[in-house]
Amino acid sequence: KGTEAIEGYLVKHSCSGKHLVGDRITMADIAIASHVIGAQLFKTNLSKAPTMMKLIAPLLEDEAFKKAHPLKQEGAPSSI
């Protein structure tokens, strides 16, 4: 239900900046990116959250976010 709640909020409070809150990465972006990455790791269907995915897609391509991905951490499995 978390994904649906996030999507509903994002649709209701249209984000007009580059990121969730304006043009700079904030804690909101980090939290939602974490949610998306976790959902992807558990193979959750995110197709009902197009707004969330559109806003988060650029972050997932950001070098810092790529380096912080759970599967890139020391001791992480090579895949799930």
Side-chain angles (χ1 to χ4, degrees), residues 3-78:
T3 298
E4 291 87 359
I6 294 166
E7 179 69 10
Y9 180 89
L10 294 174
V11 168
K12 185 176 178 181
H13 300 84
S14 62
C15 301
S16 59
K18 182 179 175 184
H19 298 289
L20 292 172
V21 183
D23 293 327
R24 296 176 56 173
I25 294 173
T26 66
M27 201 58 200
D29 298 291
I30 295 167
I32 302 300
S34 176
H35 174 82
V36 168
I37 290 168
Q40 290 173 335
L41 288 174
F42 288 100
K43 301 184 184 347
T44 302
N45 181 357
L46 297 172
S47 65
K48 293 184 179 180
T51 305
M52 179 177 70
M53 297 308 294
K54 178 184 168 206
L55 289 167
I56 292 304
L59 286 178
L60 299 179
E61 295 303 317
D62 182 272
E63 201 56 41
F65 280 80
K66 285 182 178 181
K67 287 180 182 177
H69 192 284
L71 294 179
K72 300 283 185 183
Q73 304 311 305
E74 187 175 333
S78 59

